[in-house]
Structures are given as C-alpha cells and as structure tokens.
Amino acid sequence: MTTARPWPLGVEGIAYGGDYNPEQWPREVRREDVELMREAGVNLVSVAIFAWATLEPREGEYDFGWLDEVMDDLAEAGIKVALATATASPPPWLTSRHPEILPVTEDGTVLGQGGRQAYAVSSPLLREYALRMTRVMAERYGEHPALALWHVDNELGCHVPHDFSDHAALAFRGWLQRRYGSIEELNHAWGTAFWSQRYDSFEEILPPRAAPTYANPTQQLDFARFSSDELLTHYRALRDVLREITPQVPITTNLMLSSATKWMDYFSWADDLDLVANDHYLIAAEPRGQIELALAADLSRGVAGGDPWILMEHSTSAVNWQPRNRAKGRGEMLRNSLSHVARGADGIMFFQWRQSRAGAEKFHSAMVPHAGRDTDVWRGTLALGRALEALAPVRGSRVLSRVAIVMDYPSWWASELDSHPTQALRYSEELLRWYTAFWDLGIGVDMVPAGTDVTGYELVLAPTLYTVGEQDAERLAEAARAGSQVVITFFSGIVDENEHVYLGGYPGAFRDLLGVRTEEFHPLLEGEVHHLDDGTGADLWSEKTHLEGAEVVRSWADGPLHGWPAVTRHAVGEGAAWYVAARPSAEGLEALVGEIVAAAGVEPAVPGLHRDVEAVRRFAEDGTTYLFVLNHSDRDQVVQVNGRELLTGTEADGAFTVHAGAVAVIQES
Ligand code: GAL
C-alpha cells in the first residue's frame, strides 16, 4: 500500500526501534546491540542525536570512525537509520568560545551549558555552526546504505520554546516588519494607545521581557507566534542543506504533540515535514493516561493531515522526569504502542534502545534495561517486535472519523494570557475534558486546525476558540448550515487575530451562528460550584446570556445566574449550533455529549463496550478494515466481530474475547 507521505527508505512493514546512542558504549556492547536488535525485529534506529561533541571534539576536528562502524554494522544487519543532524546540543567548546549563542530567559538569566539544548535559536552564529555540522553529516553519510530518514536536531523548543536574547529581539523585529509592514499598522494591532505604549520605530521593540506589570497582550501573542516560527525557520535551514545534498532521503524532526506541549504551532509546521514524527510520554500518575495518549495520537494524525505518521519516542516503562516515575504494568507498553498504531502510527519507537549507565537519563527505561535480558521489559521488547511484524499489512491504512475537534494553538496561548476574566482557565484541560467525553462514548475524533473545511463532519467541536478571524469563524457556520452539529464552548470567538474584542456582546465572532448575546462574564471562584437544571454541577465559568434565536438546553438551577441559559442550541440551515456557556462536571458533560452525538447520528466504532475498552478502525485503500480493540480494563470483553485476529493468527467468528489488559487486531471479513 502506498502512503501519501514519503516513508523511511527501505523500511519494510511497521517501523520498529528507538534512539540509539552507541557513543555511550564500548565496541563489544555495540556488537551485542546489533544482535539484540535483530532478535527483537528492530528495523529503524535514530542515531547521533546528541553526538556533536563526540563527532567534533574540537572545532573543525572530526572523529567519524566509531559512527562509520556503527552505520556499517547496522547496514549489514539490515537495520535502517534515522540519522540526526547531531545539532541538538552544542558542544562545550562552542558555548565556551561563543557564550553569545546561549539562550536568555524572560528575566534576563543566561542559560548555561552542562545540560542540553543550550542555544538561542535566532543566533546567526549558532545557525552557521549547525548548518556546517548538518552539511558534514549529509556529505559523509548521504550515500550510506543504512540511511533511511533524516532526523533534524531534536524536539526543537523542548527546553527553550522562548528565547529573550538580543538575537531574538532582532529577529522578532524583522518578523513584525514582515507581518505589519509599517509601525503604524503595528501600533494599531497592538493597541498601543493604551498605557502610553506607542512605538516610533521597530528598533524600539523588544521581546516581552519581565516588566513591572502585564505586558501588552498582542505583543505576547505575537512573540509566541514568532517563537514558533523561529524554531521552524531553524528546522527549514537545516532541512534545506539535507535536501540539497540528499534529495532522495525523507526528512523529519520529532514533535512533542500532547495535551502538555503548548508553544509550537505544529499545524503550521506540517507542510515542512516529509513524514510526521511524534514523541509521546504517558502521564504515569494519571489512572486513565491512555486517554491523553489517544488525544496525542489523534493530534499527530491531525498534524499529518490524516496520513500515517510515526511515533518516534515513548518509553518501555518508567521515565525519569515526572515527580514519581511509575513503572508500566503488565501489558501496558503493548497497549500504549498499539493505541498509537490504531490511531494511524506506522512506526513505534522508543527513547531509547539501551538504558544509559551514566548521565541524567540513567533511570529512564529503555528497550534493553540495566537488568538485562531476563526481564519483563526485554520480553516486552521482543513481544512488541513480533506484534508489529504481524501488523505489517496495516501500514498505510487510515482512520476515518465523523467528529472533528478544532484545535488552535494561538487560542491556547491567548486564552491563558494574564489580565483575563479568570486565571483558572486551562485550554488543554478543556480540550482533554471534551475529548474524554467522546472517548467514554467510544466515539473517535479527528483533531483539525482552525480554518479547516469541516463541512464533511457530522459533529464539530470548537473548545475555547478564543482568538478567531472572521474567515475561520465562517468555516464553522458553513458546517452548521451544511448539516453538522457545531458545538462552541465558552470564551470562544472573543477576539480577532490581533486580540481586539468583537464588540456588541460576546461571543462576537459566533453571536449570529449561536443565536445568543452575552452581556457579561461571571467566572466562578475557586471551589464554587452551581447546578444546572439536569441536577449536575458546573464550575469555573458562567455568563449572562440572552437568547437571540437559540433555545435553552440547560439552564442554571441556582447561583447568581439562576434561571439564565447555560447551554443553548440554535437551528441553522440543515444543522445546528450549540453553545456551552458553562463547564459541566464530567458526568454532566458526558450526558450532554451523548445528546449532541445522538443529534448528529454518530455511532461508536463498536457499540456496548466497557468504557475502558478502546476500539478504533483503520481502513485500507482496498476496502480491508482492521479493528483494534484495546482492553485497558480489568475484566474480559466480548466483542462481536468476524475475521482473523492478526496478533495470534486465530479466527474470530462472532463473539471474540479480548482478555483484561490485552489487545486484539482483527482483520474484518
Ligand atoms: C525526549 C527527548 C529524549 C529523551 C526523552 C526522555 O524529550 O527527545 O532525548 O530525553 O525525552 O523521556
């Protein structure tokens, strides 16, 4: 099956492997690595991500011997390489000779070397050194038979999403000049008549560094946009060198799509990646962490525009950077991995292949653990390899959903700015709450960026789409007219792209569509809960909303807005627009989503499953369907299905049992 995006050269079936850091190990261990990789069915490893200081120990002096050997050994074993540009962490000789490349925080602190990613992404000198290293790598290994994929830098923006250095100030001014053309336009956009902030020239503008009080909100939003663009610019510069030297080799970088990664607008990066690659780490303390994992996987597919993508990193067991690092339970690593596959991943990889002996990540799990081969982790590595081999036919098939959730990074940034009606609003929390309600009903969703044509979806949800341009708002109205149930939640449609309020009553951009007009927000205090007329509680938010064409779905049963609408529905064309001007409890939300789903006529992938059993279908071009059933619960689940279970090779005819904690993938007949 052909995939729409390029695929790592020569990798058969599902990609399987992890970050491989041979520079940490002697030759004999590296020999064993290759044997173990073959035993596990590994076919792709990411190499040299943090190898700059080893490869170039002194400026201009290179030591490639060890990497040549590693590349040759891997090639001989038939294992392909996602080769890094090796630029992710500048070596100490570079930062000590040129401390001006170091990044600076909001309050002026210079971040030093000794960790990793100690560079200001706007520094021209850093760029020059990184380009040179990239060129050296491409020229040396561009023709190597092991090379399958380029891995640019590593998790761009992971530790330093925002740099406030003088390099950043200069680049920010250039970015603003291109965006606004003139200082008058910028003054208008930033509303600088307020608080005597008028600028007379671009030279006067700075990043929003620590200030006596709230920095200009549009300046903050533009700086967030600029910072995301600047990281992408760095990626593009390195990518262009690789493309020039090795036009035949696909190029990617590992993203960090999750409900926690706020600062990179990955939707705007998507077109520059040949293949979308994501890193995702389970929140171990969260009892139902598989839901956030699924959100991240759906978001990865969304950034890939629905095309297959690869999971570039996750963990076999515990990580080392959460407050308490829980080891994974029985079957959990396999379930995590196959949940990504179910949601469109065609590759499953880990940080990292062999657990480090030294360094900051020595307590982070790996495919080969400290304790060696007689371990559940190693047995899990082998079992996953076999599972992925059995799933080879799934590669290239797609996930189709009838529900879309509009996800918008600028709204995330702007809705959480200071000086707002409440400081308690968390965009990602709202997103995850709604996502969870769909999950609990067994309904799959696509995550799409604002401005997408969503007319084909039965149900479209826009949670807290706070910052929205008129055209993007119109997309949602079009969908409602064409027959979708469109759901918009509180604090949406409040401001335009410049952070200017739409006047005449909230939510200005959606007032007509929703048939309501809000005169004032009434955010709830900490711990304050009022009730809706269905008896469920609601916290965080309320607003004084007048009906202007809409009907009431829920109203407030107590509190200062007793009797006022809390949820409304407006018939629009062939569809309807719902406004959720409250934050219902989980129970209230599930009931409400149930009503909306019923109005949209959307059914779960498999009806009647326990809420902790995940069922997702992938559709192949030739009409074959693959049903993934992941049982996260502690009891067996019977599923009505016919076909062949691929992991065990058994036949499913009618009632098929997926045991507690287990996964089944049925090629349906
Ligand atoms: C990622 C990173 C890896 C490793 C991993 C640990 O953020 O790309 O290099 O640090 O986290 O979980």
Side-chain angles (χ1 to χ4, degrees):
M1 147 118 353
T2 52
T3 55
R5 288 182 184 244
W7 180 249
L9 305 177
V11 174
E12 306 280 337
I14 307 278
Y16 182 43
D19 284 15
Y20 180 38
N21 299 303
E23 64 273 31
Q24 298 174 14
W25 297 99
R27 178 83 175 115
E28 59 282 9
V29 175
R30 303 200 303 239
R31 273 210 200 91
E32 189 198 43
D33 283 334
V34 175
E35 275 166 39
L36 294 181
M37 283 177 194
R38 290 186 60 138
E39 187 185 343
V42 163
N43 57 12
L44 183 67
V45 287
S46 309
V47 177
I49 296 175
F50 295 102
W52 193 344
T54 314
L55 289 172
E56 191 182 4
R58 282 162 297 279
E59 179 159 8
E61 276 180 40
Y62 297 97
D63 175 11
F64 279 114
W66 65 273
L67 185 54
D68 291 351
E69 204 174 82
V70 166
M71 293 289 285
D72 293 349
D73 289 352
L74 290 168
E76 205 189 317
I79 298 163
K80 298 289 171 181
V81 173
L83 189 61
T85 52
T87 52
S89 209
W93 59 255
L94 177 50
T95 49
S96 52
R97 190 169 307 167
H98 295 290
E100 69 273 21
I101 72 163
L102 294 170
V104 178
T105 63
E106 189 181 14
D107 63 3
T109 306
V110 177
L111 299 175
Q113 66 170 30
R116 65 174 174 186
Q117 215 175 68
Y119 65 78
V121 74
S122 309
S123 155
L125 193 68
L126 176 274
R127 178 75 48 82
E128 204 181 301
Y129 275 98
L131 287 175
R132 197 175 77 190
M133 191 60 196
T134 301
R135 184 169 291 278
V136 166
M137 292 294 281
E139 279 169 352
R140 186 160 193 103
Y141 297 109
E143 300 289 322
H144 198 284
L147 178 64
L149 177 69
W150 284 114
H151 180 294
V152 172
D153 210 86
N154 190 66
E155 291 191 345
L156 287 154
C158 167
H159 304 298
V160 191
H162 294 161
D163 163 47
F164 295 80
S165 68
D166 289 343
H167 302 301
L170 209 65
F172 185 36
R173 287 174 202 142
W175 185 93
L176 291 167
Q177 223 146 7
R178 290 190 294 279
R179 182 174 177 88
Y180 294 111
S182 71
I183 198 70
E184 290 74 33
E185 276 301 310
L186 177 138
N187 278 310
H188 168 73
W190 285 20
T192 57
F194 182 81
W195 278 357
S196 181
Q197 290 174 348
R198 184 187 166 277
Y199 291 95
D200 205 44
S201 77
F202 283 96
E203 282 65 50
E204 294 169 359
I205 296 174
L206 293 170
R209 292 179 178 155
T213 183
Y214 308 125
N216 180 301
T218 319
Q219 178 190 13
Q220 293 191 61
L221 177 58
D222 274 349
F223 188 67
R225 288 179 172 129
F226 153 78
S227 299
S228 172
D229 285 358
E230 196 64 359
L231 290 161
L232 175 61
T233 301
H234 190 59
Y235 167 84
R236 283 182 179 149
L238 273 49
R239 187 259 335 253
D240 289 349
V241 169
L242 299 171
R243 204 164 261 176
E244 172 204 322
I245 301 170
T246 59
Q248 76 286 3
V249 183
I251 306 168
T252 193
T253 186
N254 46 346
L255 309 181
M256 296 172 284
L257 290 151
S258 78
S259 70
T261 307
K262 175 176 176 180
W263 292 118
M264 277 66 72
D265 181 354
Y266 287 135
F267 283 115
S268 75
W269 293 29
D271 288 347
D272 285 287
L273 308 172
D274 289 333
L275 175 68
V276 169
N278 195 43
D279 296 351
H280 181 267
Y281 289 91
L282 191 76
I283 311 302
E286 172 53 53
R288 302 181 80 209
Q290 64 266 16
I291 301 179
E292 196 278 335
L293 181 155
L295 185 158
D298 287 342
L299 188 53
S300 304
R301 187 179 71 252
V303 167
D307 290 334
W309 50 282
I310 61 177
L311 182 72
M312 193 64 124
E313 287 181 25
H314 70 150
S315 65
T316 55
S317 191
V319 300
N320 65 311
W321 46 262
Q322 292 174 11
R324 293 173 192 235
N325 295 299
R326 182 177 69 80
K328 287 187 183 176
R330 202 162 158 253
E332 196 175 0
M333 187 271 263
L334 184 74
R335 288 198 304 280
N336 292 167
S337 301
L338 297 192
S339 177
H340 286 289
V341 177
R343 293 167 190 279
D346 275 357
I348 295 296
M349 301 175 70
F350 292 90
F351 176 84
Q352 59 177 333
W353 164 252
R354 185 184 282 275
Q355 188 167 12
S356 301
R357 263 195 98 175
E361 297 188 312
K362 58 183 170 294
F363 295 118
H364 192 294
S365 62
M367 299 168 82
V368 182
H370 285 158
R373 302 173 70 183
D374 186 10
T375 53
D376 286 342
V377 167
W378 175 248
R379 283 183 281 274
T381 299
L382 296 178
L384 178 59
R386 287 192 296 271
L388 295 177
E389 223 173 282
L391 295 182
V394 171
R395 194 177 114 195
S397 58
R398 301 169 82 88
V399 178
L400 306 175
S401 310
R402 298 171 68 199
V403 176
I405 297 183
V406 176
M407 151 98 191
D408 184 50
Y409 285 95
S411 284
W412 188 347
W413 305 333
S415 64
E416 294 182 5
L417 282 174
D418 44 30
S419 66
H420 271 194
T422 178
Q423 284 302 300
L425 170 69
R426 291 289 169 273
Y427 179 92
S428 62
E429 203 176 304
E430 297 310 309
L431 189 68
L432 187 54
R433 292 178 95 251
W434 281 87
Y435 185 90
T436 302
F438 285 102
W439 162 287
D440 281 336
L441 293 169
I443 309 268
V445 306
D446 284 348
M447 309 288 288
V448 301
T452 303
D453 175 2
V454 281
T455 48
Y457 289 99
E458 253 71 42
L459 198 165
V460 181
L461 167 71
T464 310
L465 189 57
Y466 166 75
T467 306
V468 68
E470 281 172 21
Q471 277 182 359
D472 289 357
E474 180 52 27
R475 290 295 200 182
L476 296 175
E478 274 165 18
R481 287 195 296 270
S484 310
Q485 303 295 312
V486 172
V487 185
I488 291 173
T489 79
F490 64 88
F491 217 41
S492 289
I494 305 298
V495 297
D496 65 14
E497 299 97 323
N498 292 332
E499 277 286 295
H500 293 206
V501 171
Y502 287 106
L503 299 179
Y506 314 119
F510 297 120
R511 222 165 39 220
D512 291 346
L513 169 64
L514 297 170
V516 299
R517 182 178 60 86
T518 289
E519 58 173 285
E520 194 179 13
F521 303 130
H522 285 243
L524 274 56
L525 300 182
E526 195 173 350
E528 190 179 355
V529 176
H530 298 300
H531 292 88
L532 304 179
D533 59 357
D534 65 351
T536 61
D539 67 351
L540 188 78
W541 193 266
S542 63
E543 55 188 75
K544 198 180 274 183
T545 302
H546 298 270
L547 300 174
E548 297 198 338
E551 55 179 335
V552 176
V553 176
R554 302 273 194 278
S555 58
W556 290 100
D558 52 29
L561 295 183
H562 187 176
W564 285 78
V567 180
T568 61
R569 181 182 173 281
H570 188 210
V572 180
E574 304 291 304
W578 304 62
Y579 186 41
V580 185
R583 186 168 81 158
S585 65
E587 178 201 0
L589 190 59
E590 192 177 328
L592 179 62
V593 171
E595 284 168 41
I596 303 169
V597 160
V602 177
E603 300 276 343
V606 179
L609 298 182
H610 182 276
R611 68 170 53 221
D612 284 322
V613 179
E614 179 181 355
V616 187
R617 242 182 219 102
R618 285 184 67 161
F619 297 79
E621 234 168 40
D622 67 0
T624 311
T625 58
Y626 302 95
L627 176 66
F628 287 71
V629 182
L630 300 105
N631 190 347
H632 302 279
S633 83
D634 54 11
R635 40 182 142 136
D636 293 355
Q637 173 76 58
V638 177
V639 186
Q640 293 304 322
V641 63
N642 292 295
R644 203 165 61 87
E645 202 290 310
L646 297 178
L647 303 177
T648 53
T650 52
E651 292 306 309
D653 55 4
F656 186 84
T657 301
V658 183
H659 294 293
V663 185
V665 184
I666 298 112
Q667 181 173 333
E668 294 173 293
S669 49

